[in-house]
Amino acid sequence: MASTARKPQKFNVVVVGQNGRLQYEAVLFVASLRAKSPQFKGKVFVAEPQPGPLWEQDARMGNPEVRNLLTSLDAKILPFENHVFGQSYPFGNKIELLSALPAGEPFVFFDTDTLIMDELSTVPFDFERPSASLRVEGTWPEPPLYGPGYSGIWKSLYDRFGLDFDSSLDLSQPDEYWRRYLYFNAGFFYYKCPKLFGERFLEYAKSIHNDPPEELACQSLSPWLDQVALPLVIHGLGGGRSSLPSGMLDGSVSCHYRLLPLLYAREADNVVETLEEVAAPNRIKKVLKQYDPFKRMIFQNRGQKARALFDRDHLPRREQAIRNMLKKNGYWLR
């Protein structure tokens, strides 16, 4: 009841549509948005990388039934060009697609492996203050034994772009603990203008990729480059740790499940119920069943069998242990 009492906001939503698994995840995302957020009045874009020298093969969505279904769900397929990344770093799509969105219109980017479970339009985004997902683990950096530590590594990046490092810190967290430093999952992010956000995101990502500070000499940037640049962009545009009420995105309104086996293994019952409800209509099912992992996990009940292997109240602390259990039992389908 509380969600319907809030005044709806108007903004655009964008995900990546790409050949292979992502095109089917895009169908599931858009179908869930339409089913669970009927008040949403913004535009929905499925951004599609176009063929070019940075791709070894055509990355466009190859299934015409996927394209037709997305269009029937009132999603606009939005072509964009890769000028910097492409095959070498597909995560760069979420950076380069921003140039194709309508300038000056607030947007929310979501990874395609996300379900919408409640009314998105009433999430109280502050589009003047960009932010991103805080459902994140300390995956980057990995400070070497003899230094530099977290502070030295992150400060070198803030200094590179003329940003104030000290004001980004969460001083309630201990020094040299990863949560003290601004760090996001790029599963969603938002701002008032995709052009401004995208230009800065691309500038920072290119600079870090092509000429990393010497403090990053021992650090891997693949696949972390987007998540290294993202907090710098957000901080530089006056944003920070999310001002959203806790428990909405990455909670009651959306779920970034990442892979279906992980969804069945660890997410709450209402997430599984939403997935199976959204996938059930014949026109959705007909398309999703063309992707074998979806067919087996959702429609042939292997997801529920995988779910029965785990106690959600006592899950392994490390995701790798969940993955290993799924693989051992033949449920690691992706």
Side-chain angles (χ1 to χ4, degrees):
M1 295 297 292
S3 64
T4 59
R6 300 187 183 99
K7 182 179 179 180
Q9 297 191 84
K10 189 171 182 180
F11 53 90
N12 299 328
V13 164
V14 61
V15 297
V16 175
Q18 194 170 325
N19 200 32
R21 170 169 54 91
L22 268 65
Q23 65 185 325
Y24 298 99
E25 290 178 346
V27 166
L28 196 52
F29 173 87
V30 176
S32 70
L33 176 64
R34 295 309 186 200
K36 296 297 183 179
S37 185
Q39 295 181 37
F40 178 75
K41 303 304 181 186
K43 288 169 279 197
V44 179
F45 295 99
V46 179
E48 184 181 54
Q50 299 301 289
L54 296 180
W55 291 103
E56 296 174 7
Q57 298 177 330
D58 191 343
R60 291 176 296 182
M61 295 180 288
N63 187 333
E65 292 187 52
V66 165
R67 305 176 72 88
N68 291 338
L69 180 55
L70 289 169
T71 300
S72 75
L73 291 167
D74 199 23
K76 178 178 175 57
I77 297 175
L78 182 72
F80 71 94
E81 303 289 339
N82 292 97
H83 299 290
V84 177
F85 299 110
Q87 188 79 34
S88 65
Y89 187 66
F91 295 100
N93 282 338
K94 67 181 64 177
I95 303 173
E96 296 198 74
L97 70 81
L98 297 172
S99 65
L101 289 173
E105 297 183 10
F107 76 94
V108 184
F109 167 87
F110 286 100
D111 274 344
T112 51
D113 48 359
T114 301
L115 277 177
I116 301 301
M117 301 186 300
D118 203 350
E119 190 55 64
L120 181 64
S121 63
T122 53
V123 174
F125 295 104
D126 181 354
F127 288 106
E128 295 291 333
R129 296 185 62 248
S131 195
S133 173
L134 289 170
R135 188 180 183 184
V136 64
E137 298 178 353
T139 47
W140 194 94
E142 294 184 351
L145 181 61
Y146 298 107
Y150 283 98
S151 289
I153 292 168
W154 278 116
K155 189 175 187 304
S156 72
L157 291 167
Y158 283 78
D159 290 348
R160 160 72 62 88
F161 302 111
L163 302 173
D164 181 59
F165 172 64
D166 290 341
S167 63
S168 73
L169 300 175
D170 180 354
L171 299 180
S172 70
Q173 300 291 340
D175 191 29
E176 292 301 316
Y177 176 55
W178 71 270
R179 287 193 182 276
R180 185 179 178 91
Y181 309 92
L182 201 61
Y183 191 51
F184 300 101
N185 186 303
F188 75 79
F189 52 84
Y190 57 88
Y191 188 50
K192 65 182 180 181
C193 175
K195 177 178 172 58
L196 296 176
F197 196 98
E199 287 177 348
R200 189 171 295 212
F201 206 173
L202 189 59
E203 174 195 348
Y204 288 6
K206 281 172 57 179
S207 175
I208 295 166
H209 178 268
N210 294 339
D211 182 27
E214 63 180 27
E215 287 84 353
L216 273 64
C218 297
Q219 302 302 317
S220 173
L221 291 173
S222 182
W224 314 118
L225 178 62
D226 60 328
Q227 294 192 178
V228 176
L230 184 59
L232 306 170
V233 175
I234 287 173
H235 187 67
L237 291 173
R241 294 167 184 84
S242 181
S243 59
L244 294 175
S246 62
M248 294 192 76
L249 294 191
D250 293 330
S252 63
V253 175
S254 71
C255 174
H256 184 202
Y257 59 87
R258 293 173 50 210
L259 293 163
L260 273 191
L262 292 176
L263 184 156
Y264 276 104
R266 67 187 181 185
E267 300 297 347
D269 289 346
N270 69 308
V271 177
V272 176
E273 291 164 4
T274 296
L275 166 68
E276 296 184 348
E277 175 190 339
V278 166
N282 284 333
R283 66 176 183 146
I284 309 295
K285 180 191 301 185
K286 178 184 175 183
V287 172
L288 293 182
K289 286 176 72 173
Q290 295 177 45
Y291 182 57
D292 196 59
F294 278 23
K295 179 176 73 173
R296 294 178 182 275
M297 295 298 288
I298 303 172
F299 304 111
Q300 294 183 349
N301 209 38
R302 299 194 74 179
Q304 291 290 353
K305 292 177 180 178
R307 188 167 180 79
L309 296 173
F310 299 91
D311 177 355
R312 253 68 57 200
D313 294 327
H314 301 92
L315 286 171
R317 294 183 62 184
R318 294 180 59 84
E319 181 181 298
Q320 190 60 49
I322 299 175
R323 290 173 177 245
N324 290 343
M325 177 69 79
L326 290 164
K327 290 174 183 176
K328 178 182 176 183
N329 288 274
Y331 297 125
W332 189 246
L333 302 173
R334 53 171 297 176

